[in-house]
Coordinates of all heavy atoms in Angstrom, one line a residue:
V1039 N 92.9 -69.5 -58.0 CA 93.2 -68.1 -57.7 C 92.0 -67.3 -57.9 O 91.6 -67.2 -59.1 CB 94.4 -67.7 -58.5 CG1 94.9 -66.3 -58.1 CG2 95.6 -68.6 -58.4
L1040 N 91.5 -66.6 -56.9 CA 90.3 -65.8 -57.1 C 90.6 -64.5 -57.8 O 91.7 -63.9 -57.6 CB 89.7 -65.5 -55.7 CG 89.0 -66.6 -55.0 CD1 88.5 -66.2 -53.6 CD2 87.8 -67.1 -55.8
S1041 N 89.8 -64.1 -58.7 CA 90.0 -62.9 -59.5 C 89.0 -61.9 -59.0 O 88.2 -62.1 -58.2 CB 89.7 -63.2 -61.0 OG 88.3 -63.3 -61.2
I1042 N 89.1 -60.7 -59.6 CA 88.2 -59.6 -59.3 C 86.7 -59.9 -59.7 O 85.8 -59.2 -59.3 CB 88.6 -58.2 -59.8 CG1 88.7 -58.3 -61.4 CG2 90.0 -57.8 -59.2 CD1 89.0 -56.9 -62.0
E1043 N 86.5 -61.0 -60.5 CA 85.2 -61.4 -60.8 C 84.5 -62.2 -59.7 O 83.3 -62.5 -59.8 CB 85.2 -62.2 -62.1 CG 85.8 -61.5 -63.3 CD 84.7 -60.5 -63.9 OE1 83.6 -61.0 -64.3 OE2 85.0 -59.3 -63.9
A1044 N 85.3 -62.6 -58.7 CA 84.7 -63.4 -57.6 C 83.6 -62.7 -56.9 O 83.6 -61.5 -56.7 CB 85.8 -63.8 -56.6
T1045 N 82.5 -63.4 -56.6 CA 81.4 -62.8 -55.8 C 81.5 -63.2 -54.4 O 82.2 -64.1 -54.0 CB 80.1 -63.4 -56.4 OG1 80.0 -64.8 -56.1 CG2 79.9 -63.1 -57.9
F1046 N 80.8 -62.4 -53.6 CA 80.8 -62.7 -52.1 C 80.1 -64.0 -51.9 O 80.4 -64.8 -51.0 CB 80.1 -61.6 -51.4 CG 80.2 -61.7 -49.9 CD1 81.5 -61.6 -49.3 CD2 79.1 -61.9 -49.1 CE1 81.6 -61.7 -47.9 CE2 79.3 -62.0 -47.7 CZ 80.5 -61.9 -47.1
D1047 N 79.1 -64.4 -52.7 CA 78.4 -65.7 -52.5 C 79.4 -66.8 -52.7 O 79.3 -67.9 -52.0 CB 77.2 -65.8 -53.5 CG 76.0 -65.0 -53.1 OD1 76.0 -64.6 -51.9 OD2 75.1 -64.8 -53.9
L1048 N 80.3 -66.7 -53.7 CA 81.3 -67.7 -53.9 C 82.2 -67.9 -52.7 O 82.5 -69.0 -52.3 CB 82.1 -67.4 -55.2 CG 83.3 -68.3 -55.5 CD1 82.7 -69.7 -56.0 CD2 84.2 -67.7 -56.6
I1049 N 82.6 -66.7 -52.2 CA 83.5 -66.8 -51.0 C 82.8 -67.3 -49.8 O 83.4 -68.1 -49.0 CB 84.1 -65.3 -50.8 CG1 85.0 -65.0 -51.9 CG2 84.8 -65.3 -49.4 CD1 85.4 -63.5 -52.0
K1050 N 81.5 -67.0 -49.6 CA 80.7 -67.5 -48.5 C 80.6 -69.0 -48.6 O 80.7 -69.8 -47.7 CB 79.3 -66.9 -48.5 CG 79.2 -65.6 -47.8 CD 77.8 -65.2 -47.4 CE 76.9 -65.3 -48.6 NZ 75.5 -64.9 -48.2
R1051 N 80.4 -69.5 -49.9 CA 80.2 -71.0 -50.1 C 81.4 -71.8 -49.6 O 81.3 -72.8 -48.9 CB 79.9 -71.3 -51.5 CG 79.9 -72.8 -51.9 CD 79.8 -73.0 -53.4 NE 78.5 -72.8 -53.9 CZ 77.6 -73.7 -54.0 NH1 77.8 -74.9 -53.6 NH2 76.4 -73.4 -54.5
F1052 N 82.6 -71.3 -49.9 CA 83.8 -72.1 -49.6 C 84.5 -71.6 -48.4 O 85.4 -72.3 -47.9 CB 84.7 -72.1 -50.8 CG 84.2 -72.8 -52.0 CD1 83.6 -72.2 -53.1 CD2 84.2 -74.2 -52.0 CE1 83.1 -72.9 -54.1 CE2 83.6 -74.9 -53.0 CZ 83.1 -74.2 -54.1
G1053 N 84.1 -70.4 -47.8 CA 84.9 -69.9 -46.7 C 84.1 -69.9 -45.4 O 84.8 -69.8 -44.3
F1054 N 82.8 -69.9 -45.4 CA 82.1 -69.7 -44.2 C 81.5 -70.9 -43.5 O 81.0 -70.8 -42.4 CB 80.9 -68.7 -44.5 CG 81.4 -67.3 -44.7 CD1 82.7 -67.0 -45.0 CD2 80.5 -66.2 -44.6 CE1 83.1 -65.7 -45.2 CE2 80.9 -64.9 -44.8 CZ 82.2 -64.6 -45.1
A1055 N 81.5 -72.0 -44.2 CA 80.8 -73.2 -43.6 C 81.9 -74.4 -43.4 O 82.8 -74.5 -44.2 CB 79.7 -73.7 -44.5
S1056 N 81.6 -75.2 -42.4 CA 82.5 -76.4 -42.2 C 82.1 -77.4 -43.2 O 80.9 -77.6 -43.5 CB 82.3 -76.9 -40.8 OG 82.9 -78.2 -40.7
G1057 N 83.1 -78.1 -43.8 CA 82.9 -79.2 -44.7 C 82.6 -80.5 -44.0 O 82.4 -81.5 -44.7
R1058 N 82.6 -80.5 -42.7 CA 82.4 -81.8 -42.0 C 80.9 -82.2 -42.1 O 80.6 -83.3 -42.2 CB 82.8 -81.6 -40.5 CG 84.3 -81.4 -40.3 CD 84.7 -81.4 -38.9 NE 86.0 -80.9 -38.7 CZ 87.1 -81.5 -38.9 NH1 87.1 -82.8 -39.3 NH2 88.3 -81.0 -38.8
D1059 N 80.0 -81.2 -42.1 CA 78.6 -81.6 -42.3 C 78.0 -81.1 -43.6 O 76.8 -81.3 -43.8 CB 77.7 -81.0 -41.1 CG 78.5 -80.2 -40.1 OD1 79.7 -80.6 -40.0 OD2 78.0 -79.4 -39.4
T1060 N 78.8 -80.4 -44.4 CA 78.2 -79.8 -45.6 C 79.1 -80.2 -46.8 O 80.3 -80.1 -46.8 CB 78.2 -78.3 -45.5 OG1 77.6 -77.9 -44.4 CG2 77.6 -77.6 -46.7
D1061 N 78.4 -80.6 -47.9 CA 79.2 -80.8 -49.2 C 79.1 -79.5 -49.9 O 78.1 -79.1 -50.5 CB 78.5 -81.9 -50.0 CG 79.3 -82.2 -51.3 OD1 80.2 -81.4 -51.7 OD2 79.0 -83.2 -52.0
K1062 N 80.3 -78.8 -49.9 CA 80.3 -77.5 -50.5 C 80.1 -77.4 -52.0 O 79.8 -76.4 -52.6 CB 81.6 -76.8 -50.1 CG 81.8 -76.6 -48.6 CD 83.1 -75.9 -48.3 CE 83.3 -75.7 -46.8 NZ 84.4 -74.9 -46.5
F1063 N 80.2 -78.6 -52.6 CA 80.1 -78.6 -54.1 C 78.7 -79.1 -54.6 O 78.4 -79.0 -55.8 CB 81.2 -79.6 -54.7 CG 82.6 -79.2 -54.4 CD1 83.3 -79.7 -53.4 CD2 83.2 -78.3 -55.3 CE1 84.6 -79.3 -53.1 CE2 84.5 -77.8 -55.0 CZ 85.2 -78.3 -54.0
T1064 N 77.8 -79.4 -53.6 CA 76.5 -79.9 -54.0 C 75.7 -78.7 -54.7 O 75.7 -77.6 -54.2 CB 75.7 -80.3 -52.8 OG1 76.3 -81.5 -52.2 CG2 74.2 -80.6 -53.1
G1065 N 75.2 -79.0 -55.9 CA 74.4 -78.0 -56.6 C 75.3 -76.9 -57.3 O 74.8 -76.0 -57.9
Y1066 N 76.6 -77.1 -57.2 CA 77.5 -76.2 -57.8 C 78.2 -76.8 -59.0 O 78.9 -77.8 -58.9 CB 78.6 -75.8 -56.8 CG 79.6 -74.7 -57.3 CD1 79.2 -73.4 -57.4 CD2 80.9 -75.1 -57.6 CE1 80.1 -72.5 -57.9 CE2 81.8 -74.1 -58.1 CZ 81.4 -72.8 -58.2 OH 82.2 -71.9 -58.7
N1067 N 77.9 -76.4 -60.2 CA 78.3 -77.1 -61.5 C 79.6 -76.6 -62.0 O 80.2 -77.3 -62.9 CB 77.2 -76.9 -62.5 CG 75.9 -77.5 -62.1 OD1 75.9 -78.5 -61.5 ND2 74.8 -76.8 -62.4
D1068 N 80.2 -75.5 -61.6 CA 81.3 -74.9 -62.2 C 82.7 -75.3 -61.6 O 83.5 -74.5 -61.2 CB 81.2 -73.4 -62.2 CG 82.1 -72.7 -63.3 OD1 82.5 -73.4 -64.2 OD2 82.2 -71.5 -63.3
H1069 N 82.9 -76.7 -61.5 CA 84.1 -77.2 -61.0 C 84.5 -78.5 -61.7 O 83.6 -79.2 -62.2 CB 84.0 -77.5 -59.5 CG 82.9 -78.4 -59.1 ND1 81.6 -78.0 -59.1 CD2 83.0 -79.7 -58.8 CE1 80.9 -79.1 -58.7 NE2 81.7 -80.1 -58.5
Y1070 N 85.8 -78.7 -61.9 CA 86.3 -79.9 -62.7 C 87.5 -80.5 -62.0 O 88.2 -79.8 -61.2 CB 86.7 -79.4 -64.1 CG 85.5 -78.8 -64.8 CD1 85.4 -77.4 -64.8 CD2 84.6 -79.5 -65.5 CE1 84.3 -76.8 -65.4 CE2 83.5 -78.9 -66.2 CZ 83.4 -77.5 -66.1 OH 82.3 -76.9 -66.7
R1071 N 87.7 -81.7 -62.2 CA 88.9 -82.4 -61.6 C 90.2 -82.2 -62.3 O 90.2 -82.2 -63.5 CB 88.6 -83.9 -61.4 CG 87.5 -84.2 -60.5 CD 87.7 -85.6 -59.8 NE 86.5 -85.8 -59.0 CZ 86.3 -85.5 -57.7 NH1 87.3 -84.8 -57.1 NH2 85.2 -85.8 -57.1

């Protein structure tokens, strides 16, 4: 759930690119299983 602390860069990372050719999590450390 996105909070008011969310940045436009975060939304661009996960909302603007297709995951078919891009690993959206590459170089992004702030995620856990």
Side-chain angles (χ1 to χ4, degrees):
V1039 185
L1040 288 175
S1041 75
I1042 60 172
E1043 297 284 301
T1045 63
F1046 191 64
D1047 283 344
L1048 177 71
I1049 293 169
K1050 276 199 307 185
R1051 172 186 284 269
F1052 291 103
F1054 286 16
S1056 168
R1058 295 187 193 278
D1059 356 336
T1060 309
D1061 181 350
K1062 297 184 182 184
F1063 296 97
T1064 296
Y1066 182 75
N1067 298 321
D1068 202 12
H1069 58 282
Y1070 302 92
R1071 292 210 186 272

